[in-house]
Amino acid sequence: MQIIKSLRKFDLALLVLSVAVFAVLEVLIDMRIISSFWRLQIILIGINVILAASLNLINGITGQFSLGHAGFMAVGAYVSAIMTMWYDLPFGAALLIGGLAACIIGVLIGIPTLRLDGDYLAIATLGMGEIIRICILNIQAVGGASGLTGIPRLTTFAWVFWIMVITLFFLKNMINSTYGRSCISVRENAIAAAAMGINTTFAKVLAFAIGAFFAGLAGGLFSHYFSIAHPSSFTFLNSYNYLTMVVLGGLGSMTGSITGAALITFITAALSDYPEVRMIIYALCLILLMLFRPQGLFGSQEGSLLLRRLMNRRKEAKANGSTLGNN
Amino acid sequence: MAALLETTDLSKSFGGIKAVQNFLIHIDEGEVIGLIGPNGAGKTTAFNLLTGVYVPTTGKILFDGKDITGKKPYQITALGIARTFQNIRLFGELSVLENVKIAFTLHASYSFPEAILRIGRYGKEEQIIDERARELLAAFKLDSLADEQAKNLPYGQQRRLEIARALATRPKLLLLDEPAAGMNPQETKELTQMIRWIRDTYKLSILLIEHDMALVMHICERIYVLDYGKILAEGTPDEIKNNPAVIKAYLGTEG
Ligand SMILES: Nc1ncnc2c1ncn2[C@@H]1O[C@H](COP(=O)(O)OP(=O)(O)OP(=O)(O)O)[C@@H](O)[C@H]1O
Ligand SMILES: [Mg+2]
């Protein structure tokens, strides 16, 4: 039972860290030390971390190039808003239903499109995201082109933070199980994976379903923060932006997705006063990254693993040093 | 001894090319069988038919008393046929240990919620997977490389890892596609002993494609010779060595 014990220990450490980060931020927000502008940015970082991490499950972990994440987010945003506005459901239940709706759409669209590979899948998911958006645009009951307004403002920092933590724990635990390993094996070599008894179609659909679910949750948080859901928030460019976060952090690395989402949201916010140079700096950052770290900040590794490697290397260096000293 | 694998008139065409025709093979429990033939004879295609990568144009495959024709590769692996590939197909970016762990997926039974919440069977089964994977690596002298990226191993060790990974699925029949290709004489010698040891330790049958005649003649109980997609001859190593048709197929045109 050593494995589960050490895993539990690690989980506990992460949980303690989360509580600490939450407490500090919450106090700062309550005492209004953080301005309302930066409070908005912190909430956006949380939502974007959920989106980037769930997209990373599809694109980075399972290796399926999807460009339709904003579409799933839109489904969650609208469905959860309908639940709170028309049916007076509690916020948590509305979010869950929004996530499940996105998940169902993900599976329905995923089953036929996941037969495609690489570029073809990218084009199909891109089309799918646009179809979802254009459908919403033409449903007058949910506001059509002027958007759905009057959504209750239920999203708080606490909601965003803890749903983000749950998302990350969920994805981390999934990756460290046979289910996640099946997804990884599909990315590495689908033919070999099948020869090892892995149902590759199931693994792909699972990744798509879970990824879409969390994108839906993020959508619900989003629409209940701005109290409006508008089709223009869920365009192809938004999907592209989440993909940039994942690639920046490193495809396949959850630590990377968190960093990528935080960094891009932060850069966008910090440069919001200089809109004319914003895109230039943004593009420069990406070009530099492609030149010096094409595999992304973290590659496909997790931060915890890199830290352990570094510590081992230190220890080894020390051990080597001492043997040299003895000679 | 009961027949583990039996085929009836298996054929596969790619457009106009008849890659495999009337392929008839039977393998008993515990046998080591060779499948030889010149380049392009259809050996790998025969493996792809047996493992469900290709659906046969005609014919049936019976494995362990069940008709497995038309089943998907992952289903066939679950029923007990595992394989290695002529062009090695490891999970290159992953560690040696993870490569083997993935192949144990088949034998884990914990549910998705158990995995996410890390409750129930999750801890126990993950522990077992980890232990079994390490045991298997130790048996193949790869334990010291457990954390190494698979793509960084030398060629011979990659081949060994691929065999270890295939065994993790606990097959009744192991298909090896040119396991000695690219190995040096020393490694080939070790492989020869290893194949027998695998058969005896894991109690399975082995079907192997190989161009190294010394190896094939040394370890196979029976040999099938494939030429232009058809079975040219079948028999013990001695019979095959002295079969005029086989000699002609291999040497005829040149000699
Ligand atoms: N997917 C495919 N599509 C079209 N033709 C194919 C396909 N796979 C194999 N072939 C053809 O079938 C024939 C048999 O190929 P196969 O790979 O089975 O030969 P082999 O006996 O394994 O040869 P080698 O010893 O070189 O590995 C060849 O002519 C090959 O070109
Ligand atoms: Mg071949």
Side-chain angles (χ1 to χ4, degrees):
Chain A
M1 291 292 94
Q2 309 104 340
I3 280 194
I4 191 86
K5 263 189 198 149
S6 76
L7 285 178
R8 290 241 166 86
K9 230 170 158 182
F10 184 64
D11 281 356
L12 197 68
L14 284 182
L15 198 63
V16 170
L17 183 73
S18 309
V19 172
V21 170
F22 175 74
V24 169
L25 286 175
E26 181 75 60
V27 166
L28 290 178
I29 289 173
D30 276 354
M31 294 172 64
R32 308 215 170 263
I33 294 171
I34 293 180
S35 69
S36 65
F37 174 77
W38 284 105
R39 192 179 65 211
L40 164 69
Q41 298 314 320
I42 288 173
I43 289 198
L44 275 182
I45 286 179
I47 292 176
N48 287 342
V49 165
I50 300 173
L51 287 161
S54 57
L55 184 64
N56 186 32
L57 175 67
I58 302 173
N59 284 31
I61 302 290
T62 319
Q64 304 302 302
F65 200 93
S66 167
L67 273 175
H69 224 48
F72 299 135
M73 188 187 173
V75 173
Y78 276 87
V79 170
S80 63
I82 289 169
M83 290 303 140
T84 51
M85 287 169 73
W86 299 355
Y87 298 100
D88 280 328
L89 281 191
F91 188 36
L95 282 177
L96 203 63
I97 293 173
L100 287 175
C103 173
I104 290 168
I105 300 268
V107 172
L108 287 182
I109 298 175
I111 289 172
T113 48
L114 285 175
R115 291 175 187 280
L116 304 171
D117 268 338
D119 304 346
Y120 299 104
L121 179 66
I123 293 166
T125 49
L126 189 145
M128 170 215 79
E130 286 300 285
I131 289 170
I132 292 178
R133 191 176 64 85
I134 289 165
C135 283
I136 294 171
L137 208 58
N138 287 295
I139 301 175
Q140 290 313 320
V142 295
S146 47
L148 184 60
T149 49
I151 303 170
R153 222 185 148 141
L154 297 168
T155 301
T156 59
F157 171 64
W159 273 103
V160 172
F161 187 88
W162 291 113
I163 289 185
M164 178 189 81
V165 169
I166 290 171
T167 307
L168 293 174
F169 263 89
F170 187 110
L171 294 174
K172 172 182 76 65
N173 289 2
M174 176 176 169
I175 292 167
N176 289 304
S177 76
T178 51
Y179 298 91
R181 270 183 235 126
S182 302
C183 293
I184 295 172
S185 72
V186 170
R187 173 190 77 196
E188 288 294 310
N189 192 321
I191 293 177
M196 295 305 114
I198 308 275
N199 185 344
T200 52
T201 312
F202 175 77
K204 286 186 206 173
V205 173
L206 181 69
F208 226 63
I210 303 291
F213 174 76
F214 284 112
L217 282 190
L221 290 170
F222 187 86
S223 61
H224 286 85
Y225 187 76
F226 295 100
S227 69
I228 174 169
H230 197 280
S232 66
S233 309
F234 311 110
T235 63
F236 153 68
L237 282 176
N238 294 88
S239 293
Y240 187 76
N241 199 26
Y242 306 131
L243 184 65
T244 311
M245 295 171 188
V246 176
V247 173
L248 174 76
L251 277 165
S253 165
M254 284 299 162
T255 329
S257 298
I258 299 169
T259 316
L263 216 58
I264 289 201
T265 318
F266 178 79
I267 292 175
T268 313
L271 294 176
S272 61
D273 289 341
Y274 317 96
E276 52 295 350
V277 293
R278 206 192 89 189
M279 285 323 280
I280 299 175
I281 294 187
Y282 192 79
L284 269 179
C285 287
L286 292 183
I287 291 171
L288 287 178
L289 181 83
M290 286 304 138
L291 283 177
F292 295 107
R293 251 191 108 68
Q295 71 275 48
L297 294 174
F298 285 84
S300 64
Q301 308 291 343
E302 291 306 335
S304 58
L305 195 75
L306 293 178
L307 204 69
R308 206 166 59 207
R309 288 228 179 109
L310 206 70
M311 267 154 49
N312 282 348
R313 218 173 287 160
R314 282 252 173 91
K315 258 187 226 158
E316 264 169 37
K318 243 187 213 164
N320 288 345
S322 62
T323 48
L324 279 182
N326 289 342
N327 294 340
Chain B
M1 278 204 203
L4 183 64
L5 180 87
E6 259 185 305
T7 62
T8 55
D9 281 344
L10 216 52
S11 302
K12 178 72 192 175
S13 314
F14 297 105
I17 305 169
K18 291 177 175 164
V20 170
Q21 289 177 65
N22 306 334
F23 184 68
L24 261 177
I25 191 171
H26 73 92
I27 300 175
D28 291 340
E29 278 169 25
E31 274 190 312
V32 177
I33 307 289
L35 180 60
I36 62 172
N39 288 110
K43 307 178 295 293
T44 300
T45 306
F47 266 26
N48 285 337
L49 287 172
L50 296 178
T51 52
V53 175
Y54 298 145
V55 178
T57 316
T58 65
K60 270 194 167 48
I61 309 164
L62 288 174
F63 177 71
D64 213 9
K66 286 184 216 75
D67 186 353
I68 60 165
T69 327
K71 285 212 189 307
K72 300 243 165 59
Y74 78 91
Q75 294 169 321
I76 291 178
T77 307
L79 289 169
I81 302 183
R83 71 176 291 182
T84 64
F85 294 88
Q86 183 170 355
N87 48 341
I88 302 177
R89 285 182 184 273
L90 289 169
F91 306 124
E93 299 290 323
L94 306 185
S95 74
V96 167
L97 182 66
E98 284 167 322
N99 265 272
V100 178
K101 273 187 168 185
I102 286 172
F104 275 109
T105 299
L106 205 54
H107 300 288
S109 58
Y110 60 79
S111 65
F112 190 65
E114 282 173 305
I116 298 304
L117 299 170
R118 292 190 165 163
I119 52 167
R121 291 168 286 186
Y122 172 82
K124 196 169 148 213
E125 290 189 7
E126 278 296 308
Q127 181 78 33
I128 291 172
I129 288 175
D130 190 77
E131 281 168 9
R132 296 272 155 80
R134 284 176 196 280
E135 277 166 26
L136 204 55
L137 287 182
F140 282 80
K141 301 196 183 68
L142 291 166
D143 43 341
S144 58
L145 301 165
D147 295 323
E148 203 68 43
Q149 263 185 325
K151 65 171 183 194
N152 292 339
L153 297 190
Y155 203 74
Q157 285 176 340
Q158 290 198 11
R159 287 243 174 246
R160 249 193 291 156
L161 174 58
E162 222 193 5
I163 297 176
R165 188 183 64 172
L167 286 172
T169 66
R170 296 198 200 127
K172 299 184 183 109
L173 173 64
L174 179 62
L175 309 182
L176 303 174
D177 199 343
E178 303 198 16
M183 284 189 171
N184 63 37
Q186 176 59 28
E187 285 172 329
T188 307
K189 217 175 121 199
E190 285 171 17
L191 177 75
T192 312
Q193 290 162 356
M194 192 200 291
I195 290 174
R196 280 233 175 93
W197 172 85
I198 289 171
R199 190 257 314 262
D200 297 338
T201 316
Y202 298 95
K203 309 257 178 309
L204 41 74
S205 311
I206 294 174
L207 175 63
L208 106 139
I209 297 175
E210 192 43 72
H211 284 298
D212 187 318
M213 283 308 131
L215 186 151
V216 173
M217 295 297 167
H218 189 64
I219 55 174
C220 294
E221 281 135 30
R222 276 186 303 125
I223 295 170
Y224 289 86
V225 186
L226 213 56
D227 193 23
Y228 293 111
K230 286 188 186 146
I231 289 182
L232 188 68
E234 182 219 325
T236 63
D238 279 334
E239 286 166 359
I240 295 298
K241 254 185 254 175
N242 301 317
N243 185 319
V246 175
I247 296 169
K248 195 160 159 250
Y250 267 92
L251 306 170
T253 45
E254 293 125 64

